[in-house]
Every structure is written in structure tokens, then in C-alpha cells.
Amino acid sequence: MSALAGGAAIALMEDRRDFLKTAGAAFTTSLFTGRMKGANDRVRVGIIGIGRMGSANLSIALKNPNFEVVAVSDIYKPHLEDGVAIAKKRDVTVKAVTDFREVIADKSIDAVCISTPDHWHAYMSVEACKAGKDVYVEKPLFTHIDDGKKMVEAARKYNRVVQAGTMQRSGIHFQKAAELVKEGAIGQVTVCRTWMDGVSKKEGIGNFPDGEPPAGLDWDMWLGPAPKKSWNPNRWGVHPEMGSRKPFPYFRYFWDYAGGMMTDWGVHLLDIMHFAFEDPMPSSVSSMGGKWWVTDNRETPDTMAVMYEYPKGFIAHFESCSAINGPYKWDGAGTLFQGTEGDLYVNRAFYRLTPHDKTRQPIEVRSSNNMNDAHWQNFYDCIKSRQKPISDVEKCFRTTAACVLGNISLRSRMRVDWDNEKLTVVQKEAKKYMGVEYRKPWKLTV
């Protein structure tokens, strides 16, 4: 029985100890169904998607001596050329592939890194697992919760190591911050606040007309399982007049491909809260917001607030605003735990613990390691040991699902309750946002 089919309730039970007892050895033993083919136990890896994150992941993998990058794949010719050039700078020759399916089918490749637009994450991850490959997949894990269930199911069914790109978990100061919360350093936490704020230009990302895709881009393949739509600079991300050929993640502002700031930054910010509380799921979610400031052609809100109720006895808040500098003393983005004995704030630069007792001095600790490098090293270590990585697919399923639930509440205009046994929303009217029908010929099957 797979983790998210039939045994769905078991796979994501709140009590991790009970989960391990019922799931059995199939989920916990160090199984390896293949043999690493790289010289000196190096993992042969293919990088799928050479945009901004893909280029970064390629560079990280190239400098890690445990990985041997052998292939790069992208449907945009200039990006593919960039991947070859990045590898060449490190005296590495890679195979350039336009169709990702060729990388997944290559039996000489041990693992793949998926750094594509979000709507491709689930399909590529599942297919890679079916092909016996371990997977490093960027966040957010999926755009629809039903797809995420299949990602977890595939990882367990085919005994694959699947590391999500929520790399903050590999930051030493993030780990220490989470430990302090767990240890009760700020007392009982009943409120956690997360936010991503700033003042954007009124015109936002602009209003560009639909047109013909640039030379070297297979737009139909870029869309893949998403609905057929005309090419638009914002749907893709590249504005030719800006002189940049690396897409900005503007595709995340369109429901067909992503979930706006909720699933972009919300995944990072809420993930640290989940990390500290051992990965719970909210029991209910309520959202409000809209597109009230910018005048561009995005579909997702520019102003949004989400309230979460967790069964462990606390509430969480996510805020994303495009027209304010933030109501808190820390601008930009962050995660704030508020307890009965103090507060703990953490972002990518530092954490700061502020006791309520004024006779005690605040404690501030700066970031001390490269989170991305450490995250890839953890991926390699778990490929070798066959243990679950620090951002295991099931953990990121919970964080991503919590973010998607925020969008479901917003789009359905109702408070939604989460059924942790059936892994779905309770409200019938909101269920239509749980999944999506893939455009033919694409089909997600485990």
C-alpha cells in the first residue's frame, strides 16, 4: 500500500511515532534499487531547467565533488547553451538535451534536478521516480494538492530519495532557531507570523500583449500539461526589451502555472514554522485579499493575508503585500515565533531571540553556512544512505499543501477545513481547486 493511496491517513498522521509504527520497514529501511554508476561513487546527475534557479543548482552541483553533472536540459535554446557554458567553465562537458524525457530515460543517470516552472514539478518528479532516479525538485513542490499526493506516493512506491528545494532547513542558524523553539526557550508558542512585504511599482510587471514566442523557445512544450494559451512575456518571464534572457519568475503570478507569492515565498517562510513544530498540518485556513495596487496583467493577488489554525494549539499568519514596507520592525521577509516568555525572529541572515524578561539580554546569531551547498550535500548523503533527506518530499508536501490551502480559501471565498484522514478539504465547493485535468497527451500516473 502506498503512502498516499489507500493508506493516506497513515502517511500524514500528526503523530510521527505512530506513522513509523504503521508504515513499517518499507518506508524506513535503507533500500537502493540501483547502483551508482559514477566514478568513485559520484552521483551522475542531469539538470532539467536552466533558468535562474536551474543555473544556480547547476553551479552548486558542479562544484560538489560528489556529483558528476552529465546532462542539462531546457526547451529554450539560449538556456541550453548557458548550461553547456556554465559546465565548460569548470572543464566539464555535458550532454545538451531539449526534451527532458531523454534525461529521465537515460539509465546511466542516477539523479535529476528539476528547476522548471512549478506546474511541471509533479509530472517530472513522478516520472523520474518511476525511472529509478533520485530527485532534487525545486519549491513549491506542486500547484495542486492532488498532484502532491502522487509525488509522495511515487517516492515511497519506488523507494526514491526526493529532496525538495526548501534549503533553509539546511541553514545552521535556521536549525538552531527551530531547536530553541522546540526546547521551550521562548515558552509556549501560540502565535507565529510570517510575511513578505514591500512597495512595488504601480505598473507592476507591466501589461504586455500576447505575441509570438522568441526564436528557440518551444512554447507548447513549456506549457505542457497546462491549458493552451498564447505566449505572453509575463506568462513566461522574459522581457526582451530588458536585455535579459533569464526569465524572472513572473509565471508564478498566473494560476495555470503557480500560486503567486503564497506558494513562492510562503513556502519558505511557513516551512521554518513547520520545521520547528515537526511538520504539522493546519486544521483550518481562512484567507482574504485581492489585486488592489498593481495594474499589470497578473492573476494572483498583490495583497493577501492568511490565518491558519493548527491542532497543536497555535495560530499562524502569512502576509504578502505589494504596497507597504511591513508592520513589523523587520522589513522584507521573515518568520516570527511569539511565545509566553519571548519572541524569536529568523530570516536568511540571522535569528534573534528577545526575552520578555528585560534583565536578560537578546541573543542574535548570524548565518554561518551556505544553505544551498549544505542542502545538496544532504541530498548526496541520503542518496548514499537511503535515508530521508532534511526536506523530504513528505515534509514539503505538508508545507506546500498549507500554502495551496491559503489560495484555495482565497479563490473559493470561504474558510476551508482540512481532513487529515482523507487529505482533502472538507467543503464541497472548495474541492474543485484540489486538482486539475492535464492537457493531453500529458497524464500524471504513479
Side-chain angles (χ1 to χ4, degrees):
M1 182 179 294
S2 62
L4 288 172
I10 296 175
L12 295 177
M13 286 179 67
E14 292 301 329
D15 192 321
R16 189 65 178 170
R17 185 174 301 170
D18 287 347
F19 167 72
L20 291 174
K21 287 179 180 179
T22 52
F27 289 9
T28 57
T29 52
S30 299
L31 296 176
F32 187 45
T33 59
R35 179 175 61 86
M36 280 190 285
K37 308 161 188 70
N40 301 318
D41 282 339
R42 295 175 74 196
V43 173
R44 291 169 59 86
V45 61
I47 311 293
I48 302 175
I50 313 295
R52 290 176 178 268
M53 282 308 304
S55 295
N57 281 319
L58 171 59
S59 296
I60 295 166
L62 283 167
K63 70 179 179 179
N64 188 318
N66 297 304
F67 290 98
E68 180 184 355
V69 180
V70 296
V72 294
S73 177
D74 203 287
I75 56 172
Y76 183 43
K77 185 178 179 181
H79 286 179
L80 199 57
E81 293 170 347
D82 288 345
V84 173
I86 292 170
K88 188 175 181 180
K89 286 181 180 179
R90 299 191 69 91
D91 296 323
V92 175
T93 300
V94 295
K95 183 179 180 181
V97 179
T98 55
D99 192 327
F100 72 90
R101 290 171 291 189
E102 185 177 337
V103 176
I104 290 177
D106 189 336
K107 294 183 179 180
S108 72
I109 294 177
D110 306 304
V112 296
C113 172
I114 300 168
S115 303
T116 62
D118 305 353
H119 67 291
W120 271 111
H121 290 179
Y123 182 87
M124 291 183 181
S125 295
V126 168
E127 290 300 306
C129 287
K130 289 161 66 175
K133 289 172 172 48
D134 296 316
V135 178
Y136 185 110
V137 55
E138 273 302 332
K139 46 58 61 180
L141 205 61
F142 48 83
T143 57
H144 294 86
I145 293 176
D146 285 348
D147 288 0
K149 297 177 190 178
K150 292 184 178 180
M151 295 174 79
V152 178
E153 181 184 352
R156 301 301 184 243
K157 180 177 179 179
Y158 300 103
N159 298 307
R160 295 297 92 201
V161 172
V162 179
Q163 173 87 299
T166 41
M167 78 292 180
Q168 291 182 164
R169 291 195 180 211
S170 289
I172 292 174
H173 77 291
F174 276 113
Q175 294 172 1
K176 181 58 179 176
E179 289 173 7
L180 287 169
V181 172
K182 290 178 184 179
E183 293 167 358
I186 58 173
Q188 182 177 342
V189 176
T190 56
V191 177
C192 183
R193 306 179 193 274
T194 67
W195 64 91
M196 179 65 187
D197 295 332
V199 179
S200 70
K201 296 181 296 183
K202 180 66 173 174
E203 62 270 25
I205 60 176
N207 282 283
F208 295 90
D210 292 345
E212 293 298 317
L217 173 65
D218 185 342
W219 178 241
D220 188 70
M221 187 66 166
W222 188 96
L223 289 171
K228 182 71 173 178
K229 294 287 177 65
S230 297
W231 178 83
N232 185 280
N234 282 340
R235 284 184 175 270
W236 184 39
V238 170
H239 294 175
E241 70 278 8
M242 292 181 178
S244 171
R245 69 185 194 185
K246 285 295 182 187
F248 294 88
Y250 296 155
F251 64 83
R252 286 189 170 143
Y253 298 146
F254 295 87
W255 295 120
D256 286 342
Y257 324 122
M261 294 302 292
M262 180 76 258
T263 58
D264 186 2
W265 269 93
V267 167
H268 280 308
L269 301 173
L270 291 173
D271 189 60
I272 292 304
M273 179 196 70
H274 278 203
F275 192 28
F277 292 125
E278 298 182 335
D279 302 296
M281 277 295 290
S283 54
S284 62
V285 185
S286 183
S287 305
M288 61 186 67
K291 186 180 171 184
W292 298 331
W293 166 242
V294 297
T295 57
D296 55 34
N297 65 341
R298 79 181 67 189
E299 297 172 346
T300 60
D302 60 26
T303 306
M304 183 176 182
V306 188
M307 188 67 73
Y308 295 91
E309 182 178 348
Y310 281 81
K312 289 192 174 184
F314 67 93
I315 60 173
H317 179 267
F318 169 78
E319 175 185 282
S320 173
C321 299
S322 299
I324 66 171
N325 272 328
Y328 311 107
K329 64 182 293 184
W330 298 284
D331 292 337
T335 300
L336 175 65
F337 298 90
Q338 296 188 281
T340 54
E341 298 178 24
D343 298 334
L344 190 150
Y345 169 79
V346 61
N347 63 20
R348 292 184 180 178
F350 66 94
Y351 76 77
R352 182 178 178 85
L353 191 159
T354 307
H356 290 168
D357 184 349
K358 301 303 181 182
T359 65
R360 296 170 56 198
Q361 293 296 315
I363 300 172
E364 185 169 302
V365 174
R366 310 295 297 184
S367 172
S368 61
N369 73 321
N370 185 305
M371 295 177 287
N372 291 293
D373 289 349
H375 211 53
W376 271 83
Q377 183 59 42
N378 176 258
F379 181 44
Y380 172 79
D381 292 340
C382 291
I383 289 175
K384 293 287 289 183
S385 69
R386 309 315 295 169
Q387 299 299 309
K388 293 185 179 69
I390 194 167
S391 287
D392 174 63
V393 60
E394 184 182 329
K395 295 179 179 180
C396 199
F397 169 87
R398 294 179 178 216
T399 298
T400 306
C403 293
V404 173
L405 286 172
N407 280 335
I408 291 177
S409 173
L410 181 79
R411 299 180 75 184
S412 66
R413 291 296 175 186
M414 64 176 63
R415 168 174 168 156
V416 296
D417 299 304
W418 177 248
D419 185 332
N420 207 47
E421 287 285 315
K422 298 180 179 178
L423 300 178
T424 189
V425 292
V426 172
Q427 287 74 14
K428 181 179 179 180
E429 298 87 345
K431 288 183 182 293
K432 66 179 181 180
Y433 296 106
M434 286 287 295
V436 66
E437 183 177 351
Y438 277 29
R439 184 168 66 107
K440 294 180 179 179
W442 306 101
K443 187 176 181 181
L444 184 63
T445 57
V446 178

